[in-house]
């Protein structure tokens, strides 16, 4: 799945984005374009700014310089209704962040019923369909504390999907999981990719990257060092830092 | 560093553990003791105890009214103050912090006098209402700190998850953060309820005829000081114990989910 020679407009466009935490440059003049249906996998050592880059897309992290345009909206503009843009951006966190005071079903229906005024019955029906998709429908009435890590992350993915987002952002979705649970979450993500969902994924799972990525991005010290297809990355890495990074983790 | 964290909580309320399944626990002993004591006195020494008991109910009603209205007022003020204390708006933050600082530095009795006479002089507010306002203002400051701590105890990830779904700040606070914070907040707030109930006896100094004031009126007419105050102490004990029971039932109802 290499880049097609058709002219398309990117759904996410970041240009010259910089972000400082005091003296530390978390993002250093980063530019990235993501096209509809594209699967972008961001890799890099910890502290390289990959999570910050992902969080800048839905403004969980405000940036100091540059342009971030998502779905035609300038994220940095004061006139942009950020909540409306966020409804189009599903986000999955490393630590799941399910709402513990709500059942699994309520976790899924809360946002659609409150924010999109979807009737309760309709929202529940759709929630059950999503729970079936992530293969956890039997836990609909359970509170999140009763679920395993893998189950929680699958519910979290379903919760994000319940808003019918155009793009899904994944921030190290398997890093907090026990090894035996990583597979069940990656399976869900692979299926999502096959359905054509636009995805930006920060991960250390190279098998997943190899399987689904259209575009690989390697970051280090707040900069994008190299981009390319999985084949280019894993077989013909150009930059010595990328070669070294891949040697260490593969 | 030791692994065990010893948590010492000093409260002004009762410290009874209702999970204590023993037939004879501190709460039961105090409650039954107080009831039996009252029954004994009223039954075997109807004069003057029965007369006191008949004189007091008006005051009991006033005490309940002041307590309930002050709790409501203090909860609202406490929530607003707690939200103000975590506000990123520096002006709001400063106002809320100053309110807490000032109120905590002035004794409740002085505040009662001050608000009573200040309001009475300029606004002609009814006695009971100015007492309620004074109690609410005082306890609102304490509860503000409890609310702030409760809200801050909720993981930042909860806010991020709610915001990334598209909820605005207010929705995030009221749908996601506060319902969870309430569980942390309720035990200390319950203790404040009990402390407040007891402190309503201070309003008897103003022209509000609560239990204590009714008692004082009775005693000064009949000179049965010892008997009157014995009964009043028992009455306060019984209603305080009942309130602490209500609070612990609320805590149990809130524990339907795990964190």
């Amino acid at each position: 799945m290499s880049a097609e020679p058709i002219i398309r407009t990117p759904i996410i466009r970041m240009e010259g984005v910089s972000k400082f935490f005091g003296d530390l440059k978390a993002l250093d003049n980063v530019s990235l374009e993501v096209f509809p249906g594209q699967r972008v996998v961001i890799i890099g050592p910890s502290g390289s700014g990959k999570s910050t880059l992902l969080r800048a897309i839905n403004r969980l992290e405000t940036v100091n310089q540059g342009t971030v345009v998502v779905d035609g909206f300038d994220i940095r503009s004061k006139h942009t209704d950020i909540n409306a843009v966020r409804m189009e951006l599903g986000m999955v966190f490393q630590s799941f962040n399910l709402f513990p005071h709500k059942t699994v079903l309520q976790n899924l229906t809360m946002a659609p019923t409150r924010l999109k005024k979807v009737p309760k019955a309709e929202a529940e029906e759709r929630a059950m369909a999503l729970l079936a998709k992530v293969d956890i429908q039997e836990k609909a009435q359970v509170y999140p504390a009763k679920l395993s890590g893998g189950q929680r992350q699958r519910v979290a993915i379903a919760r994000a999907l319940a808003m019918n987002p155009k793009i899904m952002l994944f921030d190290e979705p398997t890093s907090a999981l026990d090894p035996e649970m990583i597979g069940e979450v990656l399976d869900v993500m692979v299926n999502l990719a096959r359905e054509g969902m636009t995805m930006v994924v920060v991960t250390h799972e190279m098998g997943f990257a190899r399987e689904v990525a259209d575009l690989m991005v390697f970051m280090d010290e707040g900069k994008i060092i190299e981009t390319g297809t999985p084949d280019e990355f894993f077989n013909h890495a150009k930059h010595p830092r990328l070669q070294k990074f891949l040697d260490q983790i593969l | 560093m030791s692994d065990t964290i010893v948590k010492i909580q000093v409260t002004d309320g009762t410290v009874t553990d209702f999970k204590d399944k023993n037939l004879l626990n501190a709460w039961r002993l105090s409650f039954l003791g107080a009831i039996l004591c009252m029954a004994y006195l009223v039954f075997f020494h109807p004069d003057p105890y029965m007369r006191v008991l008949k004189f007091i109910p008006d005051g009991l009603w006033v005490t309940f009214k002041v307590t309930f209205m002050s709790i409501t007022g203090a909860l609202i003020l406490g929530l607003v103050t707690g939200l103000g204390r975590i506000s990123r708006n520096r002006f709001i933050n400063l106002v809320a912090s100053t309110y807490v600082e000032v109120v905590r530095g002035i004794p409740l009795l002085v505040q009662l006098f001050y608000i009573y006479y200040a309001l009475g002089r300029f606004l002609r507010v009814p006695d009971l209402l100015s007492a309620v306002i004074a109690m609410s203002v005082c306890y609102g400051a304490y509860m503000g700190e409890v609310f702030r701590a409760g809200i801050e105890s909720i993981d930042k990830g909860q806010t991020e998850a709610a915001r990334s779904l598209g909820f605005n700040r207010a929705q995030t606070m009221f749908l996601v953060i506060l319902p969870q914070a309430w569980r942390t907040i309720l035990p200390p707030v319950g203790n404040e309820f009990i402390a407040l109930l007891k402190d309503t006896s201070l309003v008897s100094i103003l022209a509000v005829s609560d239990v204590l004031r009714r008692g004082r009126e009775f005693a000064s007419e009949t000179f049965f000081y010892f008997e009157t105050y014995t009964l009043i102490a028992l009455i306060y004990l019984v209603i305080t114990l009942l309130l602490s029971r209500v609070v612990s039932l609320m805590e149990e109802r809130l524990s339907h989910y795990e964190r």
Side-chain angles (χ1 to χ4, degrees), chain B residues 3-209:
Chain B
D3 283 334
T4 36
I5 298 163
V6 180
K7 194 175 160 197
I8 299 172
Q9 197 186 13
V10 181
T11 68
D12 195 21
T14 53
V15 288
T16 315
D17 177 16
F18 288 103
K19 302 211 170 53
D20 185 355
K21 291 276 182 272
N22 287 328
L23 203 58
L24 195 68
N25 60 27
W27 188 88
R28 286 199 182 130
L29 189 62
S30 330
F31 188 73
L32 281 178
I35 294 283
L36 286 177
C37 210
M38 271 165 73
Y40 171 82
L41 292 173
V42 169
F43 195 73
F44 290 102
H45 305 277
D47 189 37
Y49 289 107
M50 196 60 194
R51 281 165 62 200
V52 184
L53 205 61
K54 278 182 178 159
F55 195 79
I56 297 233
D58 292 350
L60 204 55
W61 174 236
V62 172
T63 294
F64 281 143
K65 258 204 313 210
V66 173
T67 305
F68 183 74
M69 288 163 77
S70 304
I71 283 178
T72 312
L75 277 178
I76 294 168
L77 259 175
L79 176 60
V80 172
T81 311
L83 291 175
R85 291 268 284 154
I86 55 166
S87 168
R88 282 193 282 175
N89 180 317
R90 287 182 64 186
F91 177 72
I92 295 174
N93 200 312
L94 190 66
V95 170
S97 306
T98 310
Y99 161 60
V100 172
E101 216 55 59
V102 168
V103 166
R104 286 207 296 195
I106 301 173
L108 175 56
L109 189 56
V110 177
Q111 287 180 43
L112 273 172
F113 276 134
Y114 187 80
I115 290 183
Y116 181 73
Y117 289 111
L119 286 180
R121 182 163 171 187
F122 303 112
L123 292 171
R124 303 252 161 269
V125 176
D127 298 343
L128 188 109
L129 189 60
S130 57
V132 167
I133 291 173
M135 299 287 295
S136 304
V137 166
C138 178
Y139 274 88
Y142 290 99
M143 286 193 194
E145 287 305 273
V146 175
F147 272 93
R148 181 184 62 81
I151 290 166
E152 282 177 346
S153 75
I154 304 301
D155 184 64
K156 208 167 80 334
Q158 292 290 310
T159 305
E160 289 185 349
R163 295 306 304 275
S164 69
L165 282 167
F167 287 111
N168 64 30
R169 243 179 248 215
Q171 288 167 326
T172 300
M173 183 54 70
F174 285 96
L175 296 173
V176 176
I177 306 301
L178 281 176
Q180 295 180 57
W182 189 232
R183 246 171 55 155
T184 322
I185 290 170
L186 187 60
V189 158
N191 285 323
E192 296 289 325
F193 286 174
I194 292 156
L196 189 150
L197 168 66
K198 290 187 293 182
D199 278 351
T200 57
S201 61
L202 290 172
V203 306
S204 66
I205 301 215
L206 315 175
V208 178
S209 356

Side-chain angles (χ1 to χ4, degrees), chain A residues 45-157:
Chain A
S46 61
S48 59
K50 46 196 197 310
S51 282
T52 311
L53 178 71
L54 191 76
R55 291 157 60 86
I57 295 173
N58 69 352
R59 212 168 86 182
L60 279 185
E61 219 68 77
T62 51
V63 299
N64 303 102
Q65 282 167 19
T67 318
V68 183
V69 178
V70 175
D71 196 22
F73 293 96
D74 177 2
I75 291 286
R76 296 192 62 201
S77 161
K78 280 204 165 92
H79 306 292
T80 299
D81 178 3
I82 188 67
N83 297 318
V85 180
R86 281 173 175 161
M87 287 183 213
E88 305 295 337
L89 288 165
M91 176 111 180
V92 177
F93 300 88
Q94 180 179 347
S95 50
F96 330 127
N97 296 339
L98 293 176
F99 304 134
H101 61 304
K102 300 278 182 191
T103 63
V104 165
L105 188 67
Q106 288 166 341
N107 264 277
L108 266 69
T109 56
M110 198 172 150
T113 52
R114 297 269 180 176
L115 297 173
K116 289 191 164 172
K117 308 291 172 218
V118 178
K120 189 165 172 256
E122 197 185 317
E124 283 182 354
E125 199 178 313
R126 189 170 146 64
M128 287 310 294
L130 284 170
L131 288 175
K133 194 163 144 184
V134 300
D135 197 23
I136 198 165
Q137 64 272 48
E138 74 280 4
K139 301 284 186 186
Q141 304 302 335
V142 164
Y143 285 96
K146 296 258 188 263
L147 303 179
S148 71
Q151 291 172 326
R152 285 185 209 187
Q153 195 60 298
R154 284 184 282 146
V155 171
I157 293 171

